[in-house]
Amino acid sequence: MRILALDSSGLVASVAVVEDEQTVAEYTVNYKKTHSQTLLPMLDEVAKMIELDLKEVDAIAVAGGPGSFTGLRIGSATAKGLGMALHKPLVHVPTLEGLAYNLYGVSGLVCPIMDARRKQVYTGIYSFDTGFHVIKDQEAIAVKELAQLLNTMEGPVTFLGDGVPVYKEILEEELTVTHFYAPANMNRQRAASVGLLGMQYYKEGKAETAADHKPDYLRVSQAERERQERKQEGGQ
């Protein structure tokens, strides 16, 4: 089985091709360019390097949110376009699950955090004691509230994600549970992880049509929040 995987849900843009036993190719960039500039050229480069005919993939796995609203739209549109053109199913991989999968096999709890602004993070809690388990599904939550929750659970906890450098100081102040931070090579989104988890979900029958795929934003965008606030202020 061969899966094409895309992740543009955060600061990182990543494309990978994975098979049952190996990662065939992975191209990941964390730089100051928009995903609209990078994602398709990265896909083209990967296809050229491994002489890939996109018609040969079985499915397309995409990080489906939460995350950057613009990044999610770009990843979703790319995956949907490819799925429709190639007549391939899509596999919606929740962003935090794909991120946690970077640390497959780590003992204790894995807690990926993405900066959601306003001292909130997108997060979930996962474990790999006997395979991959969702302990707490992904959500938007205040950093201090997350720390309080983790303090009630049996550690240790390993954190990763772009929310770590933003909120590490708060975490250090609030946490009493034993905790660690993922190394630099594993602490951001990787399409290979999305692809491997997507392959598992595909085998479990969790695929969808390209037309049915929609990103999971978890909450409205900042622009929408501001519009609603202006509307409320105008009505007072």
Side-chain angles (χ1 to χ4, degrees), residues 91-104:
V91 183
H92 178 126
V93 177
T95 297
L96 277 305
E97 294 183 19
L99 190 50
Y101 213 74
N102 286 2
L103 300 183
Y104 191 97

Side-chain angles (χ1 to χ4, degrees), residues 30-138:
N30 184 7
Y31 194 65
K32 301 174 184 178
K33 289 187 177 181
T34 63
H35 297 329
S36 60
Q37 294 176 291
T38 58
L39 199 62
L40 282 175
M42 289 165 62
L43 173 58
D44 287 341
E45 187 66 22
V46 165
K48 290 176 184 177
M49 288 293 292
I50 63 173
E51 300 178 349
L52 174 68
D53 182 349
L54 291 174
K55 294 179 182 179
E56 296 175 355
V57 303
D58 294 286
I60 300 164
V62 58
S68 158
F69 284 79
T70 301
L72 288 174
R73 291 189 184 105
I74 292 168
S76 174
T78 303
K80 286 169 73 74
L82 288 169
M84 290 178 178
L86 300 170
H87 305 289
K88 301 294 182 179
L90 267 58
V91 183
H92 178 126
V93 177
T95 297
L96 277 305
E97 294 183 19
L99 190 50
Y101 213 74
N102 286 2
L103 300 183
Y104 191 97
V106 168
S107 61
L109 302 175
V110 174
C111 185
I113 56 175
M114 297 174 65
D115 184 14
R117 309 291 176 86
R118 300 185 177 188
K119 294 186 178 180
Q120 288 194 327
V121 289
Y122 296 122
T123 188
I125 303 174
Y126 310 91
S127 77
F128 297 97
D129 290 339
T130 54
F132 178 61
H133 296 285
V134 179
I135 305 300
K136 186 170 179 55
D137 205 0
Q138 56 185 25

Side-chain angles (χ1 to χ4, degrees), residues 116-123 139-149 167 170-171 219:
R117 309 291 176 86
R118 300 185 177 188
K119 294 186 178 180
Q120 288 194 327
V121 289
Y122 296 122
T123 188
E139 63 178 340
I141 187 175
V143 180
K144 288 187 177 182
E145 186 178 344
L146 172 62
Q148 292 167 3
L149 173 62
Y167 298 113
I170 296 176
L171 291 172
R219 68 182 193 185

Side-chain angles (χ1 to χ4, degrees), residues 1-4 17-22 24 56-60 89 91 195-205:
M1 178 174 290
R2 180 174 285 183
I3 299 289
L4 170 66
V17 177
V18 298
E19 295 178 350
D20 292 278
E21 302 297 332
Q22 64 181 335
V24 181
E56 296 175 355
V57 303
D58 294 286
I60 300 164
V91 183
L196 288 170
L197 188 54
M199 183 179 296
Q200 177 181 321
Y201 289 163
Y202 180 75
K203 291 178 179 178
E204 294 172 0

